[in-house]
Structure formats: C-alpha cells, structure tokens
Amino acid sequence: MDSKKGSLVVVGSGIKTVGHLTQEALAWIKAADKVFYVVSDPVAEGVIQRLNPGKSESLSGLYEEGKRRMETYEQMIERMMASVHAGMRTCAAYYGHPGVFAYPTHMAIKRLQKQGYEAFMLPGISAEDCLFAELGVDPATTGCQSYEATAFVINGHVPNPKAALILWQVGVFGRGDYSRSNYQPKGFHYFVEHLAKFYPTDHKVCIYESAMFPGCKPREDWVAIQDLDKARLTPASTLYIPASERAKPNLELLKLLESL
C-alpha cells in the first residue's frame, strides 16, 4: 500500500470542549496533516487551532442563510474526501459525538471505505450523555426511546408511554434550511398534536439544553405538553419526556426465572 495514501479519522469535541476532548482525539488532531472542524463555540475553535496551527480549517462557513442543510452536508463531505484523495492524514472534529446527528461524518467514512481508504470514527460525549448526568436519568430504569423530532412526527412513530422518550432538534421542527437568526419551528402544533395522541396533555416534559461551559448550569424547563407551543425553543433544545405509565411486570415469569 502507498504510504502516502490519505486517511480520515473523525473525532468529537464533546459538549464542554476543554473537559470532553479525549486524549485519543487530542492525539489525532495534533498528528493530522489537515484538520476540518464544525464546532459551536469560539473556545472549541481556539483549542483546535492551537492543537494544530496552520492546518486547521472550519467548515461552518459552508452554512448559509436559507441554504438547504443537505447541500451544505454534501459540500462538507466533498472537502473531507478531497483532502484524503490528496494523500493527507485528515482529521474531522465535530461538536458533541461525531456520529450523533452528523450525516457528513458517516457518509464521508462510508464513501472513503468503499474507495479503499482508511476511514473511521472515535466516540465522543454527546448531549444525550450530558442529559443522563445533568437530569439524573438512568435510561435502564424505564427504558429509553430516541428520535429526531421532525422524523418522529412525519414517520408516524408510536412511542411506548411506559418508557422515557428523547426528542432531538425540537427547536428546528419542520425545517430543512439553515438560519442564523430566525430559527422558529414550522407547524409546531403538529408536533404537539402528535404527542397528545399518546400522553396526557398535562404530562410534564423537560426542555433541556446542556451546559457548554464549566460552572454553567444546564437549561431544565419543565412544562406541560399542552403548553409546549408557548415555550421558548432554540436549535439546542432537546425534549425529555418521562414515562407516563408504569410497566406491569410478569411476576409469574419472574418467579420462574428466579427458580431456574
């Protein structure tokens, strides 16, 4: 194999960048011939730039007002692949976990692997990991379901009310475009109506936003489902819905299993 053949490793910057970057991710960022990054705050950008000065480039500039997100994602994929094709050891650092709500990273890896290049992903800390810690939630207690908010409604998913439910990107419900200033959900009443099919309208749910900086507190606003359309939502908002019903264990089967 040609020793100059390029490669791609995708790493996550985590939510609290300084504390969440793993030693493995740091090593790959430092060793790369080229680093692309998509992060959400200037602290994270500064850290990456200092780790690999002169070779680090943000892809966030590919986002444009009113531009379809999928178009931006394809451009990100092209930039990463072009770097690998040029023979460079390429590292892509994405906010949070690089494989959670990160279409470009998964597709770049799949396409490069199909072409015979080395391409892989390292895990990172996601908003879900922070949610479990900051809300004091153990997903094993009732079980846990997880959906992107728009897909949850348009695909007609039926949640299990005996298990917790996490809905991502509620603050951009119904939108496929990018906006820096006007990120209001479209047709949000459809989202609330869908939830009301499965949960009591007075069931309390949490609008959650993880804390990005040390010493800061996460956002934890508990509201009734019927009041969700009046609540303040942002692109960072995640909705956590606790179970509204108790599971009924099969005690006879439990006794049988214990006797085996």
Side-chain angles (χ1 to χ4, degrees), residues 8-74:
L8 175 66
V9 57
V10 178
V11 304
S13 67
I15 305 300
K16 295 185 180 78
T17 305
V18 177
H20 287 178
L21 269 170
T22 66
Q23 292 299 311
E24 192 175 19
L26 289 169
W28 280 105
I29 292 172
K30 289 179 181 179
D33 299 318
K34 181 68 178 180
V35 178
F36 295 109
Y37 60 88
V38 179
V39 294
S40 60
D41 66 270
V43 174
E45 183 168 22
V47 169
I48 294 170
Q49 290 281 358
R50 287 193 295 274
L51 286 170
N52 199 326
K55 300 178 183 178
S56 302
E57 178 184 347
S58 174
L59 295 180
S60 298
L62 295 174
Y63 287 110
E64 296 176 15
E65 192 74 22
K67 182 179 175 182
R68 301 294 295 179
R69 283 179 169 269
M70 193 54 66
E71 181 181 349
T72 300
Y73 295 159
E74 286 295 335

Side-chain angles (χ1 to χ4, degrees), residues 11 44 47 59 73 95 107 112-113 127-128 163 167 175 186 199 213 218 226 230 237 242:
V11 304
V47 169
L59 295 180
Y73 295 159
Y95 174 71
M107 290 309 301
L112 286 167
Q113 287 178 340
E128 184 177 66
L167 294 170
R175 301 195 68 117
K186 289 184 176 180
Y199 298 93
F213 303 106
Q226 62 195 8
K230 305 182 191 72
S237 298

Side-chain angles (χ1 to χ4, degrees), residues 220-237:
E220 302 177 28
D221 291 348
W222 290 88
V223 300
I225 288 175
Q226 62 195 8
D227 297 324
L228 269 173
D229 57 351
K230 305 182 191 72
R232 179 179 65 87
L233 298 172
T234 76
S237 298

Side-chain angles (χ1 to χ4, degrees), residues 139-145 159-165 198-199 203 241-249:
T141 301
T142 64
C144 189
Q145 309 154 92
N160 177 4
K162 297 181 178 68
L165 173 64
F198 311 104
Y199 298 93
H203 185 56
I241 304 177
S244 62
E245 299 178 14
R246 280 184 175 273
K248 295 181 180 179

Side-chain angles (χ1 to χ4, degrees), residues 133-153:
E134 292 174 335
L135 293 188
V137 172
D138 184 346
T141 301
T142 64
C144 189
Q145 309 154 92
S146 184
Y147 297 97
E148 194 277 334
T150 304
F152 173 71
V153 175

